[in-house]
Coordinates of all heavy atoms in Angstrom, one line a residue:
R1 N -137.1 0.9 -25.2 CA -136.5 2.2 -25.3 C -137.5 3.3 -25.5 O -137.2 4.5 -25.1 CB -135.4 2.2 -26.3 CG -134.2 1.3 -26.0 CD -133.1 1.4 -27.1 NE -131.9 0.6 -26.8 CZ -130.8 0.6 -27.5 NH1 -130.8 1.3 -28.6 NH2 -129.8 -0.1 -27.1
I2 N -138.6 3.0 -26.1 CA -139.6 4.1 -26.3 C -140.0 4.8 -25.0 O -140.3 6.0 -25.0 CB -140.8 3.6 -27.1 CG1 -141.7 4.7 -27.6 CG2 -141.7 2.6 -26.2 CD1 -141.0 5.5 -28.7
L3 N -140.0 4.1 -23.9 CA -140.4 4.6 -22.6 C -139.5 5.8 -22.2 O -140.0 6.8 -21.8 CB -140.4 3.6 -21.5 CG -141.4 2.4 -21.7 CD1 -141.2 1.4 -20.5 CD2 -142.8 2.9 -21.7
H4 N -138.2 5.7 -22.5 CA -137.3 6.8 -22.1 C -137.5 8.0 -23.0 O -137.4 9.1 -22.6 CB -135.9 6.3 -22.2 CG -135.6 5.2 -21.2 ND1 -135.3 5.5 -19.9 CD2 -135.5 3.8 -21.4 CE1 -135.1 4.3 -19.3 NE2 -135.2 3.3 -20.1
H5 N -137.8 7.7 -24.3 CA -138.1 8.9 -25.2 C -139.4 9.6 -24.9 O -139.5 10.8 -25.0 CB -138.1 8.4 -26.7 CG -136.8 7.7 -27.1 ND1 -135.6 8.4 -26.9 CD2 -136.5 6.5 -27.6 CE1 -134.6 7.6 -27.3 NE2 -135.1 6.5 -27.7
L6 N -140.4 8.8 -24.4 CA -141.6 9.4 -24.0 C -141.4 10.2 -22.8 O -142.0 11.3 -22.7 CB -142.7 8.3 -23.7 CG -143.2 7.5 -25.0 CD1 -144.0 6.3 -24.5 CD2 -144.1 8.5 -25.8
K7 N -140.6 9.7 -21.8 CA -140.3 10.5 -20.6 C -139.7 11.9 -21.0 O -140.1 12.9 -20.3 CB -139.3 9.8 -19.8 CG -139.9 8.7 -18.9 CD -138.8 8.0 -18.1 CE -138.0 9.0 -17.2 NZ -137.0 8.3 -16.3
H8 N -138.9 12.0 -22.0 CA -138.2 13.2 -22.3 C -139.0 14.1 -23.3 O -138.6 15.3 -23.5 CB -136.8 12.9 -22.9 CG -135.8 12.5 -21.8 ND1 -135.7 11.1 -21.4 CD2 -134.9 13.2 -21.1 CE1 -134.8 11.1 -20.5 NE2 -134.3 12.3 -20.3
N9 N -140.0 13.6 -23.9 CA -140.7 14.3 -24.9 C -142.2 14.5 -24.7 O -142.8 15.4 -25.3 CB -140.5 13.6 -26.3 CG -139.1 13.7 -26.8 OD1 -138.7 14.7 -27.5 ND2 -138.3 12.7 -26.5
L10 N -142.8 13.7 -23.9 CA -144.3 13.7 -23.8 C -144.8 15.0 -23.2 O -146.0 15.3 -23.5 CB -144.7 12.5 -22.9 CG -146.1 11.9 -23.1 CD1 -146.2 11.5 -24.6 CD2 -146.2 10.6 -22.2
E11 N -144.1 15.7 -22.4 CA -144.6 16.9 -21.8 C -144.3 18.2 -22.6 O -144.6 19.3 -22.2 CB -144.0 17.1 -20.4 CG -144.5 16.0 -19.4 CD -144.2 16.3 -18.0 OE1 -143.0 16.8 -17.7 OE2 -145.0 16.0 -17.1
S12 N -143.8 18.0 -23.8 CA -143.7 19.1 -24.8 C -144.8 19.2 -25.8 O -145.1 18.2 -26.5 CB -142.3 19.0 -25.5 OG -142.3 19.9 -26.6
P13 N -145.5 20.3 -25.9 CA -146.6 20.4 -26.9 C -146.1 20.4 -28.3 O -146.9 20.2 -29.3 CB -147.2 21.8 -26.5 CG -146.1 22.5 -25.8 CD -145.3 21.5 -25.1
R14 N -144.8 20.5 -28.5 CA -144.2 20.4 -29.9 C -144.0 18.9 -30.3 O -143.7 18.7 -31.5 CB -142.9 21.2 -29.9 CG -143.0 22.6 -29.6 CD -141.8 23.4 -30.2 NE -140.6 22.9 -29.8 CZ -139.4 23.0 -30.5 NH1 -139.4 23.5 -31.6 NH2 -138.3 22.4 -30.0
T15 N -144.1 18.0 -29.4 CA -143.8 16.6 -29.7 C -145.1 16.0 -30.4 O -146.2 16.3 -30.0 CB -143.5 15.8 -28.4 OG1 -142.3 16.3 -27.8 CG2 -143.4 14.3 -28.7
A16 N -144.8 15.1 -31.3 CA -145.9 14.3 -31.9 C -145.6 12.9 -31.7 O -144.5 12.4 -31.9 CB -146.0 14.6 -33.4
V17 N -146.6 12.1 -31.2 CA -146.5 10.7 -31.0 C -147.5 10.0 -32.0 O -148.7 10.3 -32.0 CB -146.8 10.3 -29.6 CG1 -146.7 8.7 -29.4 CG2 -145.9 11.0 -28.6
I18 N -146.9 9.2 -32.8 CA -147.8 8.5 -33.8 C -147.9 7.0 -33.4 O -146.9 6.3 -33.4 CB -147.2 8.6 -35.2 CG1 -147.0 10.0 -35.6 CG2 -148.1 7.9 -36.2 CD1 -146.3 10.2 -37.0
I19 N -149.1 6.6 -33.0 CA -149.4 5.3 -32.6 C -149.8 4.5 -33.9 O -150.7 4.9 -34.5 CB -150.5 5.2 -31.6 CG1 -150.2 6.1 -30.3 CG2 -150.8 3.8 -31.2 CD1 -149.1 5.6 -29.4
V20 N -149.0 3.5 -34.2 CA -149.3 2.7 -35.4 C -149.8 1.3 -35.1 O -149.1 0.5 -34.6 CB -148.0 2.6 -36.3 CG1 -147.8 3.9 -37.0 CG2 -146.8 2.2 -35.5
G21 N -151.1 1.2 -35.3 CA -151.7 -0.2 -35.1 C -152.4 -0.3 -33.8 O -152.5 0.6 -33.0
Y22 N -152.9 -1.5 -33.6 CA -153.7 -1.8 -32.4 C -152.9 -1.7 -31.1 O -151.8 -2.1 -31.0 CB -154.3 -3.3 -32.6 CG -155.0 -3.8 -31.4 CD1 -156.3 -3.4 -31.1 CD2 -154.4 -4.7 -30.5 CE1 -157.0 -3.9 -30.0 CE2 -155.0 -5.2 -29.4 CZ -156.3 -4.8 -29.2 OH -157.0 -5.3 -28.1
Q23 N -153.6 -1.2 -30.1 CA -153.0 -1.1 -28.7 C -153.9 -1.9 -27.8 O -155.1 -1.6 -27.6 CB -152.9 0.3 -28.3 CG -152.1 1.2 -29.3 CD -150.7 0.9 -29.3 OE1 -150.0 0.9 -28.3 NE2 -150.2 0.6 -30.5
A24 N -153.3 -2.9 -27.1 CA -154.1 -3.7 -26.2 C -154.5 -3.0 -25.0 O -153.8 -2.0 -24.5 CB -153.3 -5.0 -25.8
Q25 N -155.7 -3.4 -24.4 CA -156.1 -2.7 -23.2 C -155.1 -3.0 -22.1 O -154.5 -4.0 -22.0 CB -157.5 -3.4 -22.8 CG -158.6 -3.0 -23.7 CD -159.9 -3.6 -23.2 OE1 -160.0 -4.5 -22.5 NE2 -161.0 -3.0 -23.7
G26 N -154.9 -1.9 -21.3 CA -154.0 -2.0 -20.2 C -152.6 -1.6 -20.5 O -151.7 -1.5 -19.6
T27 N -152.3 -1.3 -21.7 CA -150.9 -0.8 -22.1 C -150.9 0.7 -22.1 O -151.9 1.4 -22.3 CB -150.5 -1.4 -23.5 OG1 -151.4 -0.8 -24.5 CG2 -150.6 -2.9 -23.6
L28 N -149.6 1.2 -22.0 CA -149.4 2.6 -22.1 C -149.9 3.2 -23.4 O -150.4 4.3 -23.5 CB -148.0 3.0 -21.8 CG -147.5 4.4 -21.9 CD1 -148.3 5.3 -21.0 CD2 -146.0 4.6 -21.7
G29 N -149.6 2.4 -24.5 CA -150.0 2.8 -25.8 C -151.5 3.1 -25.9 O -152.0 4.0 -26.6
R30 N -152.3 2.2 -25.3 CA -153.7 2.3 -25.3 C -154.2 3.5 -24.5 O -155.1 4.3 -24.9 CB -154.3 1.0 -24.7 CG -155.9 1.0 -24.7 CD -156.5 1.1 -26.1 NE -157.9 0.9 -26.0 CZ -158.5 -0.3 -26.3 NH1 -157.7 -1.3 -26.5 NH2 -159.8 -0.4 -26.2
Q31 N -153.5 3.8 -23.4 CA -153.8 5.0 -22.6 C -153.6 6.3 -23.4 O -154.4 7.2 -23.4 CB -153.0 5.1 -21.4 CG -153.3 4.0 -20.3 CD -152.3 4.1 -19.2 OE1 -152.1 5.2 -18.6 NE2 -151.7 3.0 -18.8
L32 N -152.5 6.3 -24.1 CA -152.2 7.5 -25.0 C -153.2 7.6 -26.1 O -153.7 8.7 -26.4 CB -150.8 7.4 -25.5 CG -149.6 7.5 -24.5 CD1 -148.3 7.2 -25.2 CD2 -149.6 8.9 -23.8
A33 N -153.5 6.5 -26.8 CA -154.4 6.5 -27.9 C -155.8 6.9 -27.4 O -156.6 7.6 -28.2 CB -154.5 5.1 -28.5
D34 N -156.2 6.6 -26.2 CA -157.5 6.9 -25.6 C -157.6 8.3 -25.1 O -158.6 8.8 -24.5 CB -157.9 5.9 -24.5 CG -158.3 4.6 -25.1 OD1 -158.5 4.5 -26.3 OD2 -158.4 3.6 -24.3
G35 N -156.4 9.1 -25.2 CA -156.5 10.5 -24.8 C -156.1 10.8 -23.3 O -156.6 11.8 -22.8
A36 N -155.4 9.9 -22.6 CA -155.1 10.1 -21.2 C -154.3 11.4 -21.1 O -153.4 11.7 -21.9 CB -154.3 8.9 -20.7

C-alpha cells in the first residue's frame, strides 16, 4: 500500500518520507534513500 501513498504524496515538497532501516539494491526504497 505504501506505493499508492507515495504516488499521491511524493511530488509535494511538504511531504516527508522517513526510510527506516536498510534498503536493498534495486528497490524503490533504495532509490529514494540514494536521492533519486
Side-chain angles (χ1 to χ4, degrees):
R1 293 182 176 183
I2 193 65
L3 294 179
H4 297 279
H5 300 308
L6 288 169
K7 278 181 59 176
H8 286 84
N9 290 273
L10 208 52
E11 293 192 321
S12 169
R14 298 200 308 151
T15 298
V17 180
I18 305 177
I19 304 290
V20 284
Y22 174 77
Q23 303 292 303
Q25 290 181 341
T27 63
L28 175 58
R30 181 61 171 265
Q31 292 176 48
L32 293 173
D34 285 347

